[in-house]
Amino acid sequence: MTVLVTGGAGYIGSHMVLALTDAGEDVVVLDDFSTGFERLVSPKARIVRGDMGDQALLDRVIREHRIDAVAHFAAKIVVPESVADPLGYYLNNTVKARAVIEAAVRGGVPNFIFSSTAAVYGDAEEMPVTETTPAVPVSPYGRSKLMVEWMLADAAHAHGLNSLALRYFNVAGADPAGRSGQATQNATHLIKVAVQTALGLRPGMTVFGTDYPTPDGSCIRDYIHVSDLIDAHVAGLAHLRRGGAGGILNCAYGHGSSVLEVIDLVKKVSGVDFPVTLGERRPGDPARIVAAAERIRSTLGWRPRFDDLETIVTHALDWERRLLARDAA
Ligand code: UFG
């Protein structure tokens, strides 16, 4: 049994590959290395460099490696970029995902895990959002992912492809052993930006909006440690392999932190009082997104190990220091 991990050289995909190879699984990584890094890929995995939209390549990989599960991570993930380049997002995230799904169906692969997103909820009226909260995405990014959820549901019905769509909330942190983390230099995500600022890689940072209807006026998000997220994938894979039902699961802890709380914690953990500007709202940011996170616990028996923002920030800082030391060497 071999797992095909698309996007296995990316931030989250590389953690999945490490978890699988740590568990003794055979893994094939398919990545075009447009945003991924070969050094993040577990040396125990086989790497196929190529385009996940290449149907012939997919068919060959699935046949040659006797793939029994696909974990499909490869995607573009920047919401504002998706607004500027919707067709690029629909090609990469939707059309190419369709190719991966078709190859899985054609190759008789029984199990499929898909990286979905909380962005499918858009500006949900009910909070916390449950898996049955209407999915009304407000960005091309969210729509590009929601369409894949629909394809998977239809492929399950028509072809018996058993799949889990995992809706990620705000993923942060890094492998506690320091083997992988977020390596993109121009990342936009809050915790990455804050730790880079703490380490002097940015002169300062801005809080995007302090007039939201939240206790301190800044936006609230449900941050989840990347290793807990990956534990959920591993549990999801075991669930599918033993014939468990597919479906949709929120991946989050079920409680939120504000932007100002995150920044204060990064200052405390790093010991650096870096410059912070209180700025205007960033277009498209909902005030608060917090998950109802019961279904994933009851379905997969998943229990987080790092449900503590200070631990997440500590691991993100450790990783950023490693990157700095590597660049300096
Ligand atoms: N923020 C700042 N300053 C920064 C960076 C971020 O104030 O320099 C704020 C944002 O405005 C937002 C919060 O920090 O209020 C979190 O922002 P991120 O960019 O880290 O994450 P988002 O909540 O915008 O996005 C995340 C995922 C997306 C997903 C989305 C779903 O990263 O992939 O949640 O809502 F689509």
Side-chain angles (χ1 to χ4, degrees):
M1 292 195 297
T2 303
V3 183
L4 172 61
V5 181
T6 72
Y11 168 46
I12 302 175
S14 64
H15 285 85
M16 178 69 166
V17 176
L18 285 167
L20 290 172
T21 56
D22 285 352
E25 297 258 8
D26 286 328
V27 178
V28 176
V29 168
L30 174 62
D31 204 296
D32 66 2
F33 294 92
S34 56
T35 53
F37 298 90
E38 192 161 344
R39 65 174 191 277
L40 299 184
V41 180
S42 163
K44 293 181 185 150
R46 275 166 291 186
I47 294 177
V48 175
R49 190 178 285 264
D51 183 351
M52 56 156 167
D54 181 342
Q55 202 89 52
L57 175 65
L58 287 166
D59 288 346
R60 184 166 57 75
V61 169
I62 287 173
R63 197 176 51 243
E64 283 180 3
H65 297 282
R66 300 160 55 88
I67 302 295
D68 87 305
V70 174
H72 179 47
F73 290 89
K76 289 171 173 275
I77 58 155
V78 182
V79 175
E81 188 181 73
S82 79
V83 176
D85 179 25
L87 300 181
Y89 269 68
Y90 291 129
L91 172 61
N92 202 76
N93 292 3
T94 314
V95 174
K96 292 187 179 184
R98 185 206 159 280
V100 179
I101 295 168
E102 181 171 338
V105 168
R106 225 175 20 210
V109 176
N111 306 306
F112 200 103
I113 297 184
F114 170 59
S115 305
S116 190
T117 170
V120 300
Y121 293 114
D123 296 316
E125 278 173 19
E126 58 187 43
M127 204 58 65
V129 286
T130 75
E131 290 83 353
T132 53
T133 299
V136 190
V138 294
S139 66
Y141 171 67
R143 285 189 277 271
S144 75
K145 291 278 187 173
L146 182 59
M147 284 191 276
V148 181
E149 289 193 4
W150 291 340
M151 284 193 275
L152 286 171
D154 291 339
H157 184 70
H159 308 296
L161 180 66
N162 204 13
S163 68
L164 283 174
L166 301 179
R167 290 180 175 166
Y168 304 171
F169 284 65
N170 288 64
V171 186
D175 175 38
R179 298 171 296 173
S180 186
Q182 208 167 356
T184 326
Q185 267 315 314
N186 49 2
T188 57
H189 290 155
L190 176 66
I191 292 180
K192 174 88 177 176
V193 169
V195 299
Q196 286 186 322
T197 312
L199 296 182
L201 295 166
R202 298 173 188 244
M205 64 173 295
T206 302
V207 178
F208 298 140
T210 50
D211 60 348
Y212 285 98
T214 58
D216 67 17
S218 66
C219 290
I220 293 176
R221 295 288 182 273
D222 196 334
Y223 295 91
I224 177 171
H225 193 293
V226 63
S227 296
D228 280 335
L229 179 81
I230 291 307
D231 284 353
H233 288 67
V234 172
L237 179 61
H239 169 86
L240 291 177
R241 279 177 171 164
R242 58 175 180 262
I248 294 168
L249 298 171
N250 283 344
C251 285
Y253 295 144
H255 54 83
S257 307
S258 74
V259 173
L260 291 171
E261 285 168 346
V262 169
I263 293 174
D264 280 350
L265 201 53
V266 173
K267 287 184 174 182
K268 183 185 136 196
V269 174
S270 65
V272 182
D273 186 13
F274 49 84
V276 176
T277 306
L278 303 184
E280 297 297 312
R281 291 184 179 196
R282 186 174 72 175
D285 274 342
R288 183 165 177 266
I289 308 184
V290 176
E294 306 311 320
R295 189 189 276 187
I296 188 166
R297 291 168 182 261
S298 58
T299 306
L300 303 183
W302 172 75
R303 296 289 177 272
R305 292 180 289 148
F306 305 105
D307 178 359
D308 170 52
L309 193 59
E310 186 157 340
T311 305
I312 294 176
V313 165
T314 301
H315 291 168
L317 257 171
D318 288 348
W319 171 253
E320 209 59 44
R321 288 196 179 104
R322 269 175 197 271
L323 285 181
L324 266 179
R326 205 209 56 216
D327 291 346

